[in-house]
Amino acid sequence: MMGSGRAMRKNPVHVVATWVKRQPPKVKAFLAVVAGMGLLVFLRLVVHDHDNLFVAAEASHAIGISVLIYKLIKEKTCAGLSLKSQELTALFLAVRLYCSFVMEFDLHTLLDSATLITTLWVIYMIRFKLRSSYMEDKDNFPIYYVVVPCALLALFIRPTTSHNIVNRILWAFCVYLEAVSVLPQLRVMQNVKIVEPFTAHYVFALGVARFLSCAHWVLQVLDSRGYLLTALGHGLWPSMVLLSEIVQTFILADFCYYYVQSVLGGHLVLRLPSGVV
């Protein structure tokens, strides 16, 4: 036992994780930026078709949904899950699907359709079948805090394409709402402090999906030498698209750090310190 303890302390990953944990918040933020830039450079070198990153992001999201479905069916509990986050997800997916049908129907339309159907099923299970295990008192993030600002922002900063103005406003709305739809879920986890494995896996999968999607956009902009931003339109809209992707990634970055730390430490249950999310 003493030998295994010494081996754990000498493990380079454990040593690095312990060192990072002791650093002040500003140093951690700097290290996170450096790590993110390093990952972007790595992805640029190994992934030649950056559209594959977007597909990988969709796959990661699908894996997260699959974990939720397993949790709800096998464990018959929705404890730790935010109904409000699922409803916000369904809302932005429904709006994005409408925009896809009227503006540009492609493979992503089919993928979004499948994701919306499974999300609606999760909402149904939480609202009706597993209502007794729903932590309604912990799911206390006011959704109008995100829906109203996203709607107002969409009125003023939207695509400048030739499509109908209502469709362009809705397109902008779903982009902004997607960026913050996970906030109620993070509030639930902060309230309960202890996150059970399946919920942690689901949120981590969302974090991976957000990072891959963000990497897709950043690398596309770099490879096109900024032309992609011009192709999206003019004004503030192109920059807001990229900013929304970055915001999504950073919202989940802190949680993903503690998730990886917990997994490397061999813990099945994730314990969040105060002020993480």
Side-chain angles (χ1 to χ4, degrees):
M1 290 295 292
M2 292 180 61
S4 62
R6 285 194 293 268
M8 176 63 75
R9 286 193 292 271
K10 293 179 181 179
N11 186 312
V13 175
H14 178 72
V15 171
V16 171
T18 302
W19 178 80
V20 170
K21 186 177 180 180
R22 293 173 179 170
Q23 302 309 305
K26 289 184 178 180
V27 174
K28 289 181 180 178
F30 172 76
L31 292 174
V33 172
V34 171
M37 293 176 64
L39 282 173
L40 283 177
V41 172
F42 174 75
L43 290 173
R44 190 174 189 182
L45 292 175
V46 301
V47 181
H48 301 294
D49 185 355
H50 296 150
D51 282 338
N52 291 334
L53 292 175
F54 201 78
V55 175
E58 295 279 358
S60 180
H61 194 170
I63 290 172
I65 292 292
S66 299
V67 169
L68 271 193
I69 291 174
Y70 181 86
K71 170 186 171 71
L72 296 177
I73 293 178
K74 297 296 183 181
E75 299 202 340
K76 299 188 183 305
T77 177
C78 62
L81 294 180
S82 168
L83 174 61
K84 293 180 179 180
S85 262
Q86 296 303 314
E87 290 174 339
L88 290 176
T89 300
L91 178 58
F92 84 70
L93 282 172
V95 175
R96 191 162 72 188
L97 267 176
Y98 165 78
C99 292
S100 295
F101 279 117
V102 301
M103 300 171 78
E104 51 175 6
F105 187 93
D106 55 18
L107 174 62
H108 299 301
T109 306
L110 300 177
L111 294 174
D112 280 344
S113 299
T115 305
L116 176 59
I117 291 172
T118 53
T119 301
L120 290 174
W121 180 84
V122 170
I123 292 173
Y124 169 76
M125 292 295 288
I126 296 176
R127 274 194 172 277
F128 301 105
K129 295 295 185 179
L130 303 174
R131 182 77 186 187
S132 60
S133 60
Y134 171 47
M135 299 177 174
E136 187 171 1
D137 59 321
K138 304 297 183 183
D139 194 11
N140 56 8
F141 187 95
I143 59 176
Y144 59 83
Y145 278 10
V146 293
V147 173
V148 174
C150 287
L152 292 175
L153 194 58
L155 288 175
F156 297 100
I157 305 177
R158 56 181 186 270
T160 55
T161 60
S162 59
H163 299 94
N164 180 280
I165 186 172
V166 174
N167 295 337
R168 287 186 280 131
I169 291 174
L170 289 174
W171 182 5
F173 174 70
C174 72
V175 169
Y176 301 145
L177 188 60
E178 181 182 12
V180 293
S181 60
V182 75
L183 288 178
Q185 179 62 60
L186 295 181
R187 171 67 71 85
V188 170
M189 294 189 300
Q190 182 61 65
N191 286 338
V192 299
K193 291 293 187 289
I194 299 177
V195 186
E196 56 85 30
F198 289 112
T199 302
H201 298 336
Y202 164 66
V203 178
F204 179 72
L206 290 185
V208 172
R210 297 296 186 254
F211 174 77
L212 292 173
S213 180
C214 182
H216 165 262
W217 281 102
V218 171
L219 294 180
Q220 289 281 68
V221 170
L222 291 176
D223 286 352
S224 65
R225 299 183 185 277
Y227 171 75
L228 180 62
L229 293 179
T230 304
L232 289 173
H234 59 267
L236 292 175
W237 168 247
S239 299
M240 288 300 293
V241 173
L242 189 58
L243 180 61
S244 296
E245 294 289 341
I246 295 173
V247 166
Q248 292 182 66
T249 302
F250 274 93
I251 283 176
L252 286 164
D254 210 14
F255 170 83
C256 289
Y257 164 75
Y258 284 100
Y259 174 88
V260 172
Q261 186 182 67
S262 179
V263 170
L264 292 177
H267 304 297
L268 294 178
V269 177
L270 176 61
R271 299 176 184 272
L272 295 177
S274 299
V276 170
V277 292

